[in-house]
């Protein structure tokens, strides 16, 4: 019975994706909605992304340095390990899971509140495609999500550099040598391909849970929690699939 319910929900999710692009809202209205979503979702997340990235980058560098106890192991490995950890996994995946909590809860609760207060019904009565009006601007805003992840990569490596050099674990030359050594440009492309797909999940899964929720104010909170769990699970599953497809 539960399996049928999950399959039904997945089917409804894909039907929702199709409906988002039907019966477009006027561009003059949509433009303002997109700018508002960019401000709420992207600009509003800069602070937390910058803070987490900088300090986690520092922690990765310190942990690597503390494990390099053998004097024969070169110090440039601190920079190398920091770069690989930040670019391949931390910035695209870990930050996306954090954003599933921040952005996802915001999206689910805002759309869920509109559902509870019958604002979505009012949009439908006026002949507006409510899915296009509510979800499409979020999709467009999250096309800028790779910009956020680019900042996370830069600040993570900067945090690692400062922790390593000023913490006395290695010299500036060693760290920079580690960052540059055996650099594979495709790793950046891989990280941004993942980021783009995670952005689509961050925009649509919380919107789905908010749009199709039933009940009152208490259910809005429950829907936000369920949305966070499913967005995180989907991001981690997609991370595994994309890593298998792109790196092996």
């Amino acid at each position: 019975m539960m399996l049928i319910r999950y399959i039904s929900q997945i089917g409804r999710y894909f039907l929702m994706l199709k409906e988002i692009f039907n019966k477009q809202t006027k561009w003059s209205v949509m433009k303002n909605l997109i700018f508002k979503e960019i401000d709420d979702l992207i600009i509003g997340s800069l602070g937390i992304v910058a803070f987490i990235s900088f300090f986690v980058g520092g922690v990765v560098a310190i942990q690597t340095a503390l494990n390099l106890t053998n004097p024969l192991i070169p110090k440039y490995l601190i920079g190398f390990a920091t770069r690989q950890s930040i670019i391949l996994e931390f910035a695209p995946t870990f930050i996306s899971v954090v954003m599933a909590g921040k952005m996802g809860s915001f999206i689910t609760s805002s759309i869920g509140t509109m559902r509870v207060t019958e604002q979505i019904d009012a949009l439908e009565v006026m002949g507006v495609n409510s899915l296009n009006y509510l979800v499409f601007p979020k999709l467009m805003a999250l096309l800028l999500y790779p910009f956020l992840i680019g900042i996370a990569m830069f600040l993570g490596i900067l945090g690692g550099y400062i922790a390593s050099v000023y913490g006395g674990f290695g010299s500036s030359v060693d760290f920079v040598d580690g960052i540059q050594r055996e650099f594979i440009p495709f790793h950046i492309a891989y990280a941004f391909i993942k980021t783009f797909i995670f952005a689509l999940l961050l925009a649509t899964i919380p919107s789905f849970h908010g749009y199709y929720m039933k009940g009152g104010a208490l259910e809005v909170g429950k829907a936000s929690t369920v949305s966070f769990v499913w967005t995180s699970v989907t991001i981690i599953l997609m991370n595994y699939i994309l890593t298998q497809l792109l790196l092996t």
Side-chain angles (χ1 to χ4, degrees):
M1 192 71 184
M2 191 171 283
L3 179 64
I4 293 169
R5 189 162 66 86
Y6 284 146
I7 292 169
S8 165
Q9 290 285 78
I10 291 166
R12 187 190 265 189
Y13 170 75
F14 284 106
L15 288 172
M16 181 198 84
L17 293 184
K18 176 175 167 287
E19 189 63 29
I20 288 168
F21 299 97
N22 290 340
K23 200 178 171 189
Q24 294 280 334
T25 306
K26 285 192 301 185
W27 175 246
S28 56
V29 176
M30 183 58 72
K31 181 177 62 175
N32 294 329
L33 291 171
I34 291 170
F35 282 128
K36 182 182 181 301
E37 296 297 349
I38 289 171
D39 186 45
D40 287 342
L41 300 176
I42 304 296
I43 308 298
S45 302
L46 274 172
I48 186 72
V49 168
F51 179 81
I52 292 173
S53 303
F54 185 83
F55 284 102
V56 170
V59 168
V60 168
I62 292 168
Q63 292 277 21
T64 307
L66 292 175
N67 284 291
L68 297 179
T69 50
N70 191 322
L72 298 175
I73 297 174
K75 291 289 184 185
Y76 72 74
L77 277 176
I78 300 170
F80 179 80
T82 304
R83 184 198 75 202
Q84 293 297 90
S85 304
I86 297 291
I87 289 176
L88 291 176
E89 280 310 312
F90 166 75
T93 309
F94 183 73
I95 291 291
S96 294
V97 172
V98 172
M99 288 300 105
K102 186 192 179 298
M103 284 184 194
S105 299
F106 173 77
I107 291 169
T108 305
S109 58
S110 60
I111 295 178
T113 303
M114 289 184 76
R115 172 63 76 190
V116 168
T117 54
E118 298 180 353
Q119 293 176 57
I120 292 176
D121 298 330
L123 285 171
E124 296 285 357
V125 167
M126 290 189 292
V128 175
N129 177 358
S130 56
L131 276 170
N132 177 259
Y133 185 87
L134 294 171
V135 184
F136 187 76
K138 293 172 175 55
L139 269 174
M140 291 298 102
L142 280 164
L143 291 178
L144 291 176
Y145 186 60
F147 162 74
L148 209 57
I149 298 304
I151 289 173
M153 288 177 184
F154 171 75
L155 288 175
I157 292 171
L158 179 66
Y161 173 83
I162 290 171
S164 175
V165 175
Y166 294 98
F169 297 106
S171 69
S172 174
V173 173
D174 285 335
F175 193 89
V176 173
D177 179 30
I179 292 172
Q180 296 174 334
R181 191 174 286 260
E182 294 177 35
F183 176 65
I184 301 169
F186 179 71
H187 285 171
I188 300 284
Y190 157 78
F192 281 119
I193 290 167
K194 285 205 302 186
T195 300
F196 180 73
I197 291 168
F198 295 163
L200 298 179
L201 297 175
L202 283 168
T204 54
I205 295 176
S207 297
F208 172 81
H209 285 283
Y211 190 85
Y212 290 107
M213 64 147 291
K214 292 182 175 68
L218 183 64
E219 278 71 25
V220 174
K222 288 180 181 175
S224 295
T225 306
V226 172
S227 135
F228 167 66
V229 170
W230 279 110
T231 308
S232 303
V233 166
T234 313
I235 283 170
I236 289 162
L237 275 174
M238 284 306 297
N239 183 44
Y240 176 78
I241 293 165
L242 290 167
T243 303
Q244 283 278 32
L245 288 174
L246 298 172
L247 289 187
T248 54

